[in-house]
Amino acid sequence: MLKLFPQHIETIYTHAETTYPEECCGIIFGHLTSEGKTVVEVMSTENAWNAETAADFPKDDTLDYSKKQRYAIAPQVMLQAQREARERNLNIVGIYHSHTDHPAIPSEFDRQCAWQEYSYIIVSVQNGKASDIKNWCLDDNHQFQQEAIENKI
């Protein structure tokens, strides 16, 4: 279970709507407990997807490889986030990104690039408006399973 506050969802929605029609992405900081993951902060990052990044992944000619269907967090940004989390006694508990004009369901590409134990929040943005949010986590067979979101008030 991923526990987060309404302001975290608002931050993710605003980021997703302002980057539309491109995908947005960001890092989720929090605490890991036996009862789940509690979000402390979400950090918006730049979508660093580009031709150089795309060259590192298998091509699929049926897809548009622009930022409209892909996202990447730059390695140096991820490294800095790991340092920041360690200094603040936090964990990186997940990643969020948007799907523009598509459902909040992970793609096969999302699954192939996902890391165990992270939560993956996906926001569906339809015609520029955030319309749905879902959270996913990999199981032991590297398949996404929906993970509950507890909206803390």
Side-chain angles (χ1 to χ4, degrees):
M1 175 179 298
L2 184 70
K3 302 172 187 174
L4 67 167
F5 291 93
Q7 65 265 28
H8 298 134
I9 294 174
E10 188 60 36
T11 297
I12 294 169
Y13 276 14
T14 299
H15 188 204
E17 290 174 354
T18 57
T19 60
Y20 182 87
E22 295 180 345
E23 290 192 2
C24 75
C25 53
I27 299 170
I28 306 166
F29 295 95
H31 297 288
L32 300 170
T33 69
S34 60
E35 298 166 3
K37 303 163 193 161
T38 301
V39 176
V40 172
E41 180 180 333
V42 294
M43 181 180 88
S44 302
T45 64
E46 179 184 350
N47 183 348
W49 186 261
N50 58 33
E52 184 178 319
T53 304
D56 292 337
F57 295 94
K59 290 259 182 214
D60 179 344
D61 292 335
T62 63
L63 296 175
D64 172 9
Y65 279 86
S66 71
K67 291 181 181 178
K68 291 180 180 178
Q69 291 193 349
R70 294 284 184 263
Y71 78 93
I73 296 174
Q76 62 271 26
V77 171
M78 201 65 194
L79 183 61
Q80 180 60 37
Q82 290 169 337
R83 282 192 202 121
E84 185 177 329
R86 189 173 44 247
E87 290 169 4
R88 296 173 59 197
N89 291 321
L90 296 172
N91 300 98
I92 295 175
V93 297
I95 303 291
Y96 74 86
H97 75 281
S98 60
H99 281 179
T100 57
D101 298 317
H102 288 280
I105 298 171
S107 66
E108 175 60 16
F109 186 82
D110 291 336
R111 188 190 68 79
Q112 291 175 355
C113 298
W115 296 334
Q116 292 282 344
E117 299 186 21
Y118 274 13
S119 292
Y120 287 87
I121 291 177
I122 300 175
V123 176
S124 175
V125 183
Q126 303 290 327
N127 298 315
K129 183 74 179 160
S131 61
D132 190 21
I133 185 168
K134 288 189 168 82
N135 180 42
W136 304 87
C137 194
L138 290 173
D139 65 17
D140 292 338
N141 296 315
H142 206 81
Q143 300 297 313
F144 272 117
Q145 302 297 323
Q146 193 165 356
E147 184 181 47
I149 294 175
E150 180 183 322
N151 198 353
K152 297 180 74 76
I153 299 176

